[in-house]
Amino acid sequence: MKKVLLGLVIVIMMTGSGYANDHEELPDRYCDFLKDKAFSYIDFAWMKQQNMMKDYSPDRDLIKFNKDVMKNIKDAHYPAVIYQTFCKD
């Protein structure tokens, strides 16, 4: 009997305290900010790659360049994941 009552109390606590709720949507201004931030990192990486291809020379440090581009892509990943989780289109 104790286990049944304890289980019932836990169920009631979890449903009333927000544990059972899905993620709430963020306000539109936050969603827009996250989307713009992710796109700006990707745009910057793309422009950097285009400039590198335009000014290509064999003596350029491609490893450093690729690390910079990958850093921008990784930086875009975080706002994109948050946007995907909390903002619904």
Side-chain angles (χ1 to χ4, degrees), residues 1-34:
M1 185 68 172
K2 252 185 182 180
K3 290 181 183 179
V4 173
L5 288 175
L6 183 60
L8 184 60
V9 168
I10 290 173
V11 167
I12 291 172
M13 286 176 52
M14 287 183 68
T15 56
S17 64
Y19 288 108
N21 293 340
D22 288 335
H23 298 295
E24 292 184 24
E25 288 188 32
L26 289 176
D28 287 340
R29 64 189 173 112
Y30 295 127
C31 293
D32 293 340
F33 171 78
L34 290 168

Side-chain angles (χ1 to χ4, degrees), residues 55-66:
D55 301 330
Y56 180 74
S57 64
D59 59 340
R60 288 191 66 154
D61 187 7
L62 291 178
I63 293 173
K64 181 185 180 309
F65 167 76
N66 285 335

